[in-house]
Amino acid sequence: MIKLYMMRHGSTDYNKKGLYNGWTNTAINLEGYEQCIILKEKLLDIKFDKIITSTLDRTIKSAEIVSDNKAQLMILEELKEINFGIWEGMNYRDIEKQYPLEWEEWQRQWTSYNIPQGESFQGFYARVKLCFESLLKNCENQCVLLVTHEGVMKVITTLLLNMKKEDFWHFSFDFGCYSYYEIYEDFCTIKKINC
């Protein structure tokens, strides 16, 4: 069995303003820092065999706070959020005004549309899937903390529950909170969510 704790990083100023924040390397803000301190207390008695993050500062800092800098982090490029390309740092209203054709195309074909200078959802999904399947093979009988992004958590959840890509939208994960999954071979049970 694999005990998987997935945590969404602490809040950032981009998140607070409702801006698209994929590969932009934003830091957690004071609220995000406090969220991570609270979560550290919640997970105090859990002994993690591995702590894994993406390469972005907001996940690394969140993992460092939660682990109290006592654990060596495994940092993986493939666990970054989707790359929003030219839309990074913008809210959806501004995107709709400045890039109306691109926005309309994304609305029609959100899974296959490749955001200029960014990536498509299909590319993002395939990247996370490949990485996560590889991780699963190396985590048997371990307790793992994965500190990552909401999009990544949604993809992983659909994979573990054998759902379609489109079911991605059925999940929401809160900043600085964890969800707990138990994985027995090909069967997953969600034990806790947004704690």
Side-chain angles (χ1 to χ4, degrees):
M1 180 180 76
I2 299 169
K3 295 179 178 180
L4 176 65
Y5 289 77
M6 277 201 297
M7 171 195 169
R8 186 178 184 186
H9 62 79
S11 179
T12 73
D13 287 343
Y14 266 41
N15 301 131
K16 207 139 179 86
K17 293 173 185 171
L19 306 179
Y20 279 59
N21 189 22
W23 283 22
T24 303
N25 205 10
T26 54
I28 60 171
N29 57 22
L30 181 59
E31 182 184 12
Y33 179 84
E34 289 168 351
Q35 290 164 344
C36 294
I37 292 291
I38 291 166
L39 189 56
K40 177 175 85 167
E41 294 304 313
K42 289 181 186 176
L43 298 176
L44 208 54
D45 296 330
I46 312 291
K47 166 88 172 72
F48 294 109
D49 298 297
K50 284 188 176 94
I51 300 179
I52 305 164
T53 77
S54 82
T55 55
L56 296 171
D57 289 348
R58 57 192 184 269
T59 58
I60 293 171
K61 186 63 179 175
S62 297
E64 287 172 347
I65 295 167
V66 170
S67 68
D68 211 15
N69 288 303
K70 291 177 183 164
Q72 184 168 0
L73 306 181
M74 179 187 295
I75 301 171
L76 299 174
E77 181 86 20
E78 297 86 355
L79 293 176
K80 285 163 71 169
E81 183 60 277
I82 190 169
N83 184 350
F84 290 109
I86 58 172
W87 298 346
E88 290 276 341
M90 300 176 72
N91 68 41
Y92 76 91
R93 289 182 201 89
D94 291 335
I95 295 168
E96 208 170 356
K97 283 180 198 162
Q98 291 182 41
Y99 299 102
L101 298 177
E102 292 87 347
W103 182 255
E104 188 181 317
E105 189 67 20
W106 184 76
Q107 294 285 310
R108 279 187 304 144
Q109 301 185 63
W110 68 272
T111 58
S112 60
Y113 179 68
N114 201 93
I115 302 166
Q117 298 173 33
E119 65 186 328
S120 68
F121 177 80
Q122 286 177 343
F124 164 64
Y125 186 94
R127 161 168 63 83
V128 174
K129 182 176 189 281
L130 195 63
C131 178
F132 186 67
E133 286 174 348
S134 173
L135 280 175
L136 283 180
K137 291 175 189 168
N138 296 302
C139 293
E140 192 57 47
N141 299 316
Q142 292 186 351
C143 184
V144 177
L145 174 62
L146 177 56
V147 184
T148 190
H149 311 271
E150 184 177 37
V152 174
M153 293 175 73
K154 288 176 165 191
V155 169
I156 289 172
T157 303
T158 61
L159 289 168
L160 287 171
L161 298 180
N162 298 310
M163 299 170 83
K164 298 179 204 162
K165 289 186 186 85
E166 293 74 20
D167 293 323
F168 174 92
W169 299 108
H170 289 291
F171 302 98
S172 178
F173 296 99
D174 298 336
F175 295 107
C177 292
Y178 79 91
S179 297
Y180 173 55
Y181 302 65
E182 289 183 352
I183 305 162
Y184 300 85
E185 296 177 1
D186 292 332
F187 188 83
C188 174
T189 304
I190 299 177
K191 306 291 279 188
K192 295 181 180 181
I193 196 158
N194 285 326
C195 296

